[in-house]
Amino acid sequence: MKLPRRQFLHFAASAAALPAVSRMARAQTYPTRPVRIIVGFAAGGPTDLYARLIGQWLAERLGRPFLIENRPGAGGNIATESVVNAAADGYTLLLVAAANTINATLYDNLNYTFIRDIAPVAGICVLFTSWR
């Protein structure tokens, strides 16, 4: 197979640029510092229990502490607002419950828009109900 000169030069340039591009695209390992999981309800409840279980599981697998911080009050609005105002770097997470989505319809003057300001990361619990 005979390779035309121009095609050979394209291959050579691509091969030379590949090591530089792969170094630039390398991602930083996550997490590099402790991660906070904010819970909008009091300690000892089911939401707090889920947060502590998932925090322990993540800490064991990722090798960094996951700190559970309870901020009860206003049906979870205080915790949600503190996460919305935190830096968007992935180190402050909110454990969302049904109350967070309900509050978006109940309160007219919230300082955040739940759907716009909160991005889902993972689902940790699914509840099934039976209507008969």
Side-chain angles (χ1 to χ4, degrees), residues 72-96:
N77 288 337
I78 294 171
T80 306
E81 188 171 346
S82 70
V83 172
V84 167
N85 294 330
D89 57 3
Y91 288 92
T92 305
L93 305 175
L94 175 68
L95 188 76
V96 175

Side-chain angles (χ1 to χ4, degrees), residues 37-41 46-48 50-51 54 93-97 100 124:
I37 299 176
I38 308 294
V39 179
F41 303 97
T47 312
D48 179 60
Y50 286 131
I54 198 70
L93 305 175
L94 175 68
L95 188 76
V96 175
N100 296 102
I124 61 170

Side-chain angles (χ1 to χ4, degrees), residues 4-93:
R5 181 174 183 234
R6 180 172 285 187
Q7 196 173 10
F8 173 77
L9 291 175
H10 283 285
F11 285 137
S14 298
L18 187 61
V21 171
S22 66
R23 273 196 295 265
M24 290 186 305
R26 196 171 293 159
Q28 183 181 14
T29 58
Y30 175 83
T32 58
R33 62 179 198 261
V35 178
R36 295 180 350 185
I37 299 176
I38 308 294
V39 179
F41 303 97
T47 312
D48 179 60
L49 177 67
Y50 286 131
R52 294 185 188 281
L53 288 173
I54 198 70
Q56 179 182 359
W57 185 84
L58 288 169
E60 290 170 359
R61 276 144 191 85
L62 298 176
R64 293 286 181 188
F66 278 71
L67 309 172
I68 311 305
E69 187 175 323
N70 295 88
R71 291 197 180 180
N77 288 337
I78 294 171
T80 306
E81 188 171 346
S82 70
V83 172
V84 167
N85 294 330
D89 57 3
Y91 288 92
T92 305
L93 305 175

